[in-house]
Amino acid sequence: MGAPRWARLCLLLLAAVTLWVLLCGHDRDAQASPKPSLLQQESLPLVPGGMSRNAGSHGLSRESSMDRGKPSSEPGKAKSTKEQASSCPQSLTSIVKADPRFGKLFRFHIPVLMWARHFTQETRDRLKERSVPYGWQGLSDTAIASTLHLLNDSANSWLFDKARFPEGCVRCAVVGNGGILNGSRQGKEIDAHDFVFRLNGAVIKGFEDDVGTKTSFYGFTVNTMKNSLIAYREYGFTQIPQSKDLRYIFIPSDIRDYVMLKSAILGSRVQEGYDKGDDPRMYFGPEASAKKFKLLHSDFIHYLTLRFLRSEIINTQYGYLYMPSTGALMLLTALHTCDQVSAYGFITDNYRKFSDHYYERKKKPLVFYANHDMLLEAELWKSLHRAGIMKLYQR
């Protein structure tokens, strides 16, 4: 004879309560004990100017609309470069869509660049919840607004006009500064691309055979640009690339980038902040035109980090320092705008064979810092290469 109904109900209730307690306890343990980072014990760089150790969360620990694969709502959103018509039959877009893994990661509708039309109340409300480089938390509304209002030309909404390539594929080379390029003899191949991206300490003189001479885009944060001019001066890096047709891609890692960008467009000295008194013309040349400058969208950097480079470092005490490297941001920018992409001078499995940078006279080992996850980036480049989405130079 079965147990009375009330007894069975009590047993079911007890089982449900027990299961609930176990699940809640598991969630608390998971939050209290993040996975250790492979780079947690590595030495740390100096905290960049303007950043404090109380900078707060980047907003990467919370599930967001991008994390769930839903686009953020943004009225008046400018078209990203990928949305421009392309007649390229071998575009990486088609390869991505056919790939079972990367087809779920790439979101080509997210705007790559930020410009004047993006400064809406909705954008402000959303980005104020995340700290730089993923948002505007703690930053001056006035400084951001005055900068974005100057990026008021349609050229600020895309890197290049695909209408210029009606019958062909836009081929891009992204050139990192890794030691693998020393003696590579890749210069001519690099220069044969339609556009060439360079970044940070991009030494060219004396290494033309290995890295080429062409520069279409130079990507940086103000911090990495100025540090490169100091650190690599002995190797001949005394000035960032300059030319009439070259375009500069600002990465908004701090308020410094917005303030410097504003002064660069106006052709005036920096009036406030960490770089007060600087003359942007000494970096970017005498031409002061909004068309010459591009600004990565904070939502784009947020999306790239969540979907491609969500490092375990984020869950450590150094999480406030973490962001993808300049090279990673430039390469992923190219992968979201160009039809075909080749990467040179990026970390590969055998990185220990080469010096940190191609222009160093004596071999220096690659040092890992907790503000980037270079091993995670290396895995991503290898996976993208294997999937045929990009070409990674290896030797």
Short mmCIF file of all heavy atoms in Angstrom, two decimals, residues 308-357:
data_model
loop_
_atom_site.label_atom_id
_atom_site.label_comp_id
_atom_site.label_asym_id
_atom_site.label_seq_id
_atom_site.Cartn_x
_atom_site.Cartn_y
_atom_site.Cartn_z
N PHE A 308 34.99 37.33 -28.86
CA PHE A 308 36.22 36.76 -29.39
C PHE A 308 37.34 36.65 -28.35
O PHE A 308 38.14 35.72 -28.40
CB PHE A 308 36.72 37.60 -30.57
CG PHE A 308 35.80 37.60 -31.75
CD1 PHE A 308 34.85 38.60 -31.90
CD2 PHE A 308 35.87 36.59 -32.71
CE1 PHE A 308 33.99 38.61 -32.99
CE2 PHE A 308 35.01 36.59 -33.80
CZ PHE A 308 34.07 37.59 -33.94
N LEU A 309 37.43 37.60 -27.44
CA LEU A 309 38.59 37.66 -26.54
C LEU A 309 38.16 37.87 -25.09
O LEU A 309 38.69 38.74 -24.38
CB LEU A 309 39.55 38.76 -27.00
CG LEU A 309 40.23 38.49 -28.36
CD1 LEU A 309 40.95 39.73 -28.85
CD2 LEU A 309 41.20 37.31 -28.26
N ARG A 310 37.21 37.09 -24.64
CA ARG A 310 36.73 37.19 -23.26
C ARG A 310 37.67 36.39 -22.36
O ARG A 310 37.43 35.24 -22.03
CB ARG A 310 35.30 36.69 -23.16
CG ARG A 310 34.66 36.98 -21.81
CD ARG A 310 33.16 36.78 -21.87
NE ARG A 310 32.51 37.13 -20.62
CZ ARG A 310 31.21 37.34 -20.50
NH1 ARG A 310 30.43 37.23 -21.56
NH2 ARG A 310 30.69 37.66 -19.34
N SER A 311 38.72 37.03 -21.93
CA SER A 311 39.78 36.37 -21.18
C SER A 311 39.38 36.10 -19.73
O SER A 311 38.57 36.82 -19.14
CB SER A 311 41.04 37.25 -21.20
OG SER A 311 42.02 36.75 -20.32
N GLU A 312 40.00 35.08 -19.14
CA GLU A 312 39.80 34.80 -17.73
C GLU A 312 40.37 35.90 -16.85
O GLU A 312 40.04 35.99 -15.66
CB GLU A 312 40.45 33.45 -17.38
CG GLU A 312 39.76 32.25 -18.02
CD GLU A 312 40.42 30.93 -17.65
OE1 GLU A 312 41.53 30.98 -17.06
OE2 GLU A 312 39.84 29.88 -17.94
N ILE A 313 41.23 36.74 -17.41
CA ILE A 313 41.80 37.86 -16.64
C ILE A 313 40.69 38.75 -16.12
O ILE A 313 40.81 39.36 -15.05
CB ILE A 313 42.77 38.68 -17.53
CG1 ILE A 313 43.97 37.82 -17.93
CG2 ILE A 313 43.26 39.93 -16.81
CD1 ILE A 313 44.89 38.49 -18.93
N ILE A 314 39.59 38.83 -16.85
CA ILE A 314 38.47 39.68 -16.46
C ILE A 314 37.96 39.31 -15.07
O ILE A 314 37.49 40.17 -14.32
CB ILE A 314 37.33 39.57 -17.50
CG1 ILE A 314 37.79 40.16 -18.84
CG2 ILE A 314 36.07 40.28 -17.02
CD1 ILE A 314 36.86 39.85 -19.99
N ASN A 315 38.08 38.05 -14.70
CA ASN A 315 37.56 37.58 -13.42
C ASN A 315 38.58 37.68 -12.28
O ASN A 315 38.31 37.23 -11.17
CB ASN A 315 37.09 36.13 -13.55
CG ASN A 315 35.97 35.97 -14.54
OD1 ASN A 315 35.09 36.82 -14.62
ND2 ASN A 315 35.99 34.89 -15.30
N THR A 316 39.76 38.23 -12.55
CA THR A 316 40.78 38.35 -11.53
C THR A 316 40.82 39.77 -10.97
O THR A 316 40.10 40.66 -11.41
CB THR A 316 42.17 38.01 -12.10
OG1 THR A 316 42.62 39.09 -12.95
CG2 THR A 316 42.13 36.72 -12.90
N GLN A 317 41.71 39.99 -10.02
CA GLN A 317 41.86 41.32 -9.43
C GLN A 317 42.40 42.33 -10.43
O GLN A 317 42.36 43.54 -10.18
CB GLN A 317 42.81 41.24 -8.23
CG GLN A 317 44.22 40.73 -8.58
CD GLN A 317 45.12 40.63 -7.38
OE1 GLN A 317 45.24 41.57 -6.59
NE2 GLN A 317 45.74 39.46 -7.20
N TYR A 318 42.91 41.85 -11.57
CA TYR A 318 43.44 42.74 -12.59
C TYR A 318 42.45 42.99 -13.73
O TYR A 318 42.80 43.52 -14.77
CB TYR A 318 44.75 42.16 -13.18
CG TYR A 318 45.77 41.81 -12.14
CD1 TYR A 318 46.30 40.53 -12.06
CD2 TYR A 318 46.20 42.75 -11.20
CE1 TYR A 318 47.25 40.18 -11.10
CE2 TYR A 318 47.13 42.42 -10.23
CZ TYR A 318 47.66 41.14 -10.19
OH TYR A 318 48.58 40.82 -9.23
N GLY A 319 41.21 42.58 -13.52
CA GLY A 319 40.22 42.68 -14.57
C GLY A 319 40.01 44.09 -15.09
O GLY A 319 39.73 44.29 -16.27
N TYR A 320 40.18 45.09 -14.22
CA TYR A 320 39.97 46.47 -14.65
C TYR A 320 41.02 46.94 -15.65
O TYR A 320 40.81 47.91 -16.37
CB TYR A 320 39.97 47.40 -13.42
CG TYR A 320 41.33 47.58 -12.79
CD1 TYR A 320 42.12 48.67 -13.10
CD2 TYR A 320 41.82 46.63 -11.89
CE1 TYR A 320 43.38 48.82 -12.53
CE2 TYR A 320 43.06 46.77 -11.33
CZ TYR A 320 43.85 47.87 -11.64
OH TYR A 320 45.09 48.01 -11.08
N LEU A 321 42.16 46.22 -15.70
CA LEU A 321 43.22 46.59 -16.64
C LEU A 321 43.01 45.98 -18.02
O LEU A 321 43.56 46.47 -19.01
CB LEU A 321 44.58 46.10 -16.11
CG LEU A 321 45.25 46.88 -14.98
CD1 LEU A 321 46.48 46.13 -14.50
CD2 LEU A 321 45.62 48.27 -15.45
N TYR A 322 42.24 44.91 -18.09
CA TYR A 322 42.21 44.11 -19.31
C TYR A 322 41.48 44.78 -20.46
O TYR A 322 40.42 45.38 -20.30
CB TYR A 322 41.54 42.75 -19.05
CG TYR A 322 41.43 41.92 -20.31
CD1 TYR A 322 42.55 41.30 -20.85
CD2 TYR A 322 40.22 41.82 -20.99
CE1 TYR A 322 42.46 40.57 -22.03
CE2 TYR A 322 40.12 41.09 -22.16
CZ TYR A 322 41.24 40.47 -22.68
OH TYR A 322 41.15 39.76 -23.86
N MET A 323 42.05 44.64 -21.65
CA MET A 323 41.39 44.93 -22.91
C MET A 323 42.18 44.23 -24.00
O MET A 323 43.35 43.90 -23.81
CB MET A 323 41.33 46.45 -23.17
CG MET A 323 42.66 47.12 -23.42
SD MET A 323 42.51 48.91 -23.75
CE MET A 323 41.77 48.90 -25.39
N PRO A 324 41.56 43.94 -25.14
CA PRO A 324 42.32 43.34 -26.24
C PRO A 324 43.47 44.26 -26.64
O PRO A 324 43.38 45.48 -26.51
CB PRO A 324 41.27 43.23 -27.36
CG PRO A 324 39.97 43.17 -26.64
CD PRO A 324 40.13 44.07 -25.45
N SER A 325 44.54 43.68 -27.14
CA SER A 325 45.70 44.48 -27.55
C SER A 325 45.36 45.35 -28.75
O SER A 325 44.38 45.11 -29.46
CB SER A 325 46.87 43.56 -27.90
OG SER A 325 46.60 42.85 -29.10
N THR A 326 46.19 46.36 -28.98
CA THR A 326 45.99 47.24 -30.13
C THR A 326 46.01 46.44 -31.42
O THR A 326 45.20 46.65 -32.32
CB THR A 326 47.08 48.33 -30.17
OG1 THR A 326 47.12 49.00 -28.91
CG2 THR A 326 46.82 49.33 -31.27
N GLY A 327 46.94 45.49 -31.50
CA GLY A 327 47.02 44.65 -32.70
C GLY A 327 45.77 43.84 -32.91
O GLY A 327 45.28 43.71 -34.04
N ALA A 328 45.22 43.29 -31.82
CA ALA A 328 44.00 42.50 -31.93
C ALA A 328 42.84 43.36 -32.40
O ALA A 328 42.05 42.94 -33.26
CB ALA A 328 43.67 41.86 -30.59
N LEU A 329 42.72 44.56 -31.87
CA LEU A 329 41.63 45.45 -32.26
C LEU A 329 41.76 45.85 -33.73
O LEU A 329 40.75 45.94 -34.45
CB LEU A 329 41.60 46.68 -31.37
CG LEU A 329 41.18 46.42 -29.92
CD1 LEU A 329 41.31 47.68 -29.08
CD2 LEU A 329 39.75 45.90 -29.84
N MET A 330 42.97 46.10 -34.21
CA MET A 330 43.16 46.47 -35.61
C MET A 330 42.85 45.29 -36.53
O MET A 330 42.23 45.44 -37.58
CB MET A 330 44.59 46.96 -35.85
CG MET A 330 44.88 48.34 -35.28
SD MET A 330 43.81 49.65 -35.96
CE MET A 330 42.55 49.76 -34.69
N LEU A 331 43.28 44.09 -36.14
CA LEU A 331 43.05 42.92 -36.98
C LEU A 331 41.56 42.58 -37.04
O LEU A 331 41.01 42.30 -38.11
CB LEU A 331 43.85 41.73 -36.45
CG LEU A 331 43.78 40.42 -37.25
CD1 LEU A 331 43.95 40.65 -38.74
CD2 LEU A 331 44.83 39.43 -36.73
N LEU A 332 40.88 42.66 -35.91
CA LEU A 332 39.44 42.38 -35.90
C LEU A 332 38.66 43.49 -36.61
O LEU A 332 37.60 43.23 -37.20
CB LEU A 332 38.95 42.21 -34.47
CG LEU A 332 39.36 40.87 -33.84
CD1 LEU A 332 39.19 40.90 -32.32
CD2 LEU A 332 38.56 39.71 -34.44
N THR A 333 39.17 44.71 -36.58
CA THR A 333 38.56 45.79 -37.36
C THR A 333 38.63 45.48 -38.85
O THR A 333 37.64 45.61 -39.58
CB THR A 333 39.25 47.14 -37.07
OG1 THR A 333 39.02 47.50 -35.71
CG2 THR A 333 38.72 48.24 -37.97
N ALA A 334 39.80 45.04 -39.30
CA ALA A 334 39.96 44.67 -40.70
C ALA A 334 39.04 43.50 -41.07
O ALA A 334 38.45 43.47 -42.15
CB ALA A 334 41.41 44.31 -40.99
N LEU A 335 38.89 42.55 -40.17
CA LEU A 335 38.06 41.38 -40.43
C LEU A 335 36.57 41.73 -40.51
O LEU A 335 35.77 40.94 -41.01
CB LEU A 335 38.28 40.33 -39.34
CG LEU A 335 39.61 39.57 -39.43
CD1 LEU A 335 39.89 38.82 -38.14
CD2 LEU A 335 39.60 38.58 -40.61
N HIS A 336 36.21 42.90 -40.02
CA HIS A 336 34.82 43.34 -40.10
C HIS A 336 34.59 44.39 -41.18
O HIS A 336 33.46 44.89 -41.32
CB HIS A 336 34.37 43.90 -38.74
CG HIS A 336 34.07 42.84 -37.72
ND1 HIS A 336 35.07 42.15 -37.06
CD2 HIS A 336 32.90 42.35 -37.24
CE1 HIS A 336 34.51 41.28 -36.23
NE2 HIS A 336 33.20 41.38 -36.33
N THR A 337 35.61 44.70 -41.96
CA THR A 337 35.46 45.74 -42.98
C THR A 337 36.00 45.34 -44.34
O THR A 337 35.46 45.78 -45.36
CB THR A 337 36.18 47.04 -42.54
OG1 THR A 337 37.53 46.73 -42.18
CG2 THR A 337 35.49 47.67 -41.35
N CYS A 338 37.04 44.52 -44.37
CA CYS A 338 37.68 44.14 -45.63
C CYS A 338 37.10 42.83 -46.16
O CYS A 338 36.46 42.08 -45.43
CB CYS A 338 39.19 43.99 -45.43
SG CYS A 338 40.00 45.44 -44.70
N ASP A 339 37.35 42.55 -47.44
CA ASP A 339 36.89 41.30 -48.06
C ASP A 339 37.88 40.16 -47.83
O ASP A 339 37.49 39.00 -47.69
CB ASP A 339 36.67 41.49 -49.55
CG ASP A 339 35.51 42.40 -49.85
OD1 ASP A 339 34.44 42.22 -49.24
OD2 ASP A 339 35.66 43.32 -50.69
N GLN A 340 39.17 40.49 -47.84
CA GLN A 340 40.21 39.49 -47.62
C GLN A 340 41.26 40.12 -46.70
O GLN A 340 41.65 41.27 -46.89
CB GLN A 340 40.84 39.06 -48.94
CG GLN A 340 39.86 38.37 -49.88
CD GLN A 340 40.45 38.07 -51.25
OE1 GLN A 340 41.63 38.34 -51.52
NE2 GLN A 340 39.63 37.51 -52.12
N VAL A 341 41.71 39.35 -45.71
CA VAL A 341 42.62 39.89 -44.69
C VAL A 341 43.81 38.96 -44.50
O VAL A 341 43.65 37.74 -44.37
CB VAL A 341 41.89 40.09 -43.35
CG1 VAL A 341 42.87 40.53 -42.26
CG2 VAL A 341 40.76 41.10 -43.48
N SER A 342 45.00 39.56 -44.47
CA SER A 342 46.23 38.84 -44.15
C SER A 342 46.89 39.52 -42.96
O SER A 342 46.95 40.74 -42.89
CB SER A 342 47.19 38.85 -45.35
OG SER A 342 46.61 38.20 -46.46
N ALA A 343 47.38 38.72 -42.01
CA ALA A 343 48.00 39.24 -40.80
C ALA A 343 49.48 38.89 -40.78
O ALA A 343 49.85 37.73 -40.99
CB ALA A 343 47.30 38.67 -39.56
N TYR A 344 50.31 39.88 -40.51
CA TYR A 344 51.76 39.70 -40.46
C TYR A 344 52.29 40.24 -39.13
O TYR A 344 51.82 41.27 -38.64
CB TYR A 344 52.44 40.47 -41.60
CG TYR A 344 51.96 40.11 -42.98
CD1 TYR A 344 50.82 40.70 -43.51
CD2 TYR A 344 52.66 39.20 -43.76
CE1 TYR A 344 50.38 40.39 -44.80
CE2 TYR A 344 52.23 38.87 -45.05
CZ TYR A 344 51.08 39.47 -45.56
OH TYR A 344 50.65 39.16 -46.82
N GLY A 345 53.25 39.53 -38.55
CA GLY A 345 53.86 40.02 -37.32
C GLY A 345 53.01 39.81 -36.09
O GLY A 345 53.18 40.51 -35.08
N PHE A 346 52.11 38.80 -36.13
CA PHE A 346 51.29 38.48 -34.98
C PHE A 346 51.81 37.21 -34.31
O PHE A 346 52.50 36.41 -34.93
CB PHE A 346 49.82 38.32 -35.38
CG PHE A 346 49.13 39.64 -35.59
CD1 PHE A 346 49.33 40.37 -36.77
CD2 PHE A 346 48.30 40.18 -34.62
CE1 PHE A 346 48.71 41.60 -36.96
CE2 PHE A 346 47.67 41.41 -34.80
CZ PHE A 346 47.88 42.11 -35.97
N ILE A 347 51.43 37.03 -33.05
CA ILE A 347 51.94 35.91 -32.26
C ILE A 347 51.48 34.57 -32.86
O ILE A 347 50.32 34.41 -33.24
CB ILE A 347 51.50 36.05 -30.79
CG1 ILE A 347 52.11 34.94 -29.92
CG2 ILE A 347 49.98 36.09 -30.67
CD1 ILE A 347 51.87 35.14 -28.43
N THR A 348 52.42 33.64 -32.94
CA THR A 348 52.14 32.29 -33.45
C THR A 348 52.64 31.27 -32.42
O THR A 348 53.26 31.63 -31.42
CB THR A 348 52.86 32.06 -34.80
OG1 THR A 348 54.26 32.35 -34.65
CG2 THR A 348 52.28 32.98 -35.88
N ASP A 349 52.38 29.99 -32.68
CA ASP A 349 52.75 28.94 -31.72
C ASP A 349 54.24 28.94 -31.37
O ASP A 349 54.62 28.63 -30.25
CB ASP A 349 52.35 27.57 -32.27
CG ASP A 349 50.86 27.32 -32.19
OD1 ASP A 349 50.18 28.03 -31.41
OD2 ASP A 349 50.36 26.43 -32.90
N ASN A 350 55.08 29.29 -32.35
CA ASN A 350 56.52 29.23 -32.14
C ASN A 350 57.11 30.60 -31.82
O ASN A 350 58.24 30.91 -32.21
CB ASN A 350 57.22 28.63 -33.37
CG ASN A 350 56.97 29.45 -34.63
OD1 ASN A 350 56.05 30.27 -34.68
ND2 ASN A 350 57.78 29.22 -35.66
N TYR A 351 56.36 31.42 -31.10
CA TYR A 351 56.80 32.79 -30.83
C TYR A 351 58.13 32.85 -30.07
O TYR A 351 58.86 33.84 -30.17
CB TYR A 351 55.72 33.54 -30.04
CG TYR A 351 55.48 33.05 -28.64
CD1 TYR A 351 56.21 33.56 -27.57
CD2 TYR A 351 54.52 32.07 -28.37
CE1 TYR A 351 56.00 33.10 -26.27
CE2 TYR A 351 54.30 31.63 -27.09
CZ TYR A 351 55.04 32.12 -26.03
OH TYR A 351 54.83 31.68 -24.76
N ARG A 352 58.48 31.80 -29.34
CA ARG A 352 59.72 31.81 -28.56
C ARG A 352 60.96 31.84 -29.46
O ARG A 352 62.05 32.19 -29.00
CB ARG A 352 59.78 30.59 -27.64
CG ARG A 352 58.75 30.60 -26.52
CD ARG A 352 58.91 29.38 -25.62
NE ARG A 352 57.91 29.34 -24.56
CZ ARG A 352 56.70 28.84 -24.68
NH1 ARG A 352 56.33 28.32 -25.86
NH2 ARG A 352 55.85 28.84 -23.67
N LYS A 353 60.81 31.48 -30.72
CA LYS A 353 61.94 31.49 -31.65
C LYS A 353 62.33 32.91 -32.04
O LYS A 353 63.45 33.13 -32.54
CB LYS A 353 61.59 30.70 -32.92
CG LYS A 353 61.46 29.21 -32.73
CD LYS A 353 61.05 28.53 -34.04
CE LYS A 353 62.01 28.84 -35.18
NZ LYS A 353 61.61 28.14 -36.43
N PHE A 354 61.45 33.86 -31.84
CA PHE A 354 61.67 35.20 -32.36
C PHE A 354 61.74 36.24 -31.24
O PHE A 354 61.27 36.01 -30.12
CB PHE A 354 60.54 35.57 -33.33
CG PHE A 354 60.27 34.52 -34.36
CD1 PHE A 354 59.14 33.71 -34.26
CD2 PHE A 354 61.14 34.32 -35.41
CE1 PHE A 354 58.89 32.73 -35.20
CE2 PHE A 354 60.90 33.34 -36.36
CZ PHE A 354 59.77 32.53 -36.26
N SER A 355 62.32 37.38 -31.58
CA SER A 355 62.38 38.47 -30.63
C SER A 355 61.00 39.09 -30.45
O SER A 355 60.08 38.85 -31.25
CB SER A 355 63.36 39.53 -31.12
OG SER A 355 63.61 40.51 -30.12
N ASP A 356 60.83 39.89 -29.42
CA ASP A 356 59.56 40.53 -29.14
C ASP A 356 59.14 41.39 -30.34
O ASP A 356 57.99 41.33 -30.79
CB ASP A 356 59.69 41.40 -27.89
CG ASP A 356 58.36 41.91 -27.37
OD1 ASP A 356 57.32 41.64 -28.01
OD2 ASP A 356 58.35 42.59 -26.33
N HIS A 357 60.06 42.20 -30.88
CA HIS A 357 59.78 43.07 -32.02
C HIS A 357 60.79 42.83 -33.13
O HIS A 357 61.93 42.45 -32.87
CB HIS A 357 59.82 44.54 -31.60
CG HIS A 357 58.87 44.89 -30.51
ND1 HIS A 357 59.26 45.00 -29.19
CD2 HIS A 357 57.53 45.12 -30.52
CE1 HIS A 357 58.22 45.31 -28.44
NE2 HIS A 357 57.15 45.38 -29.22
#
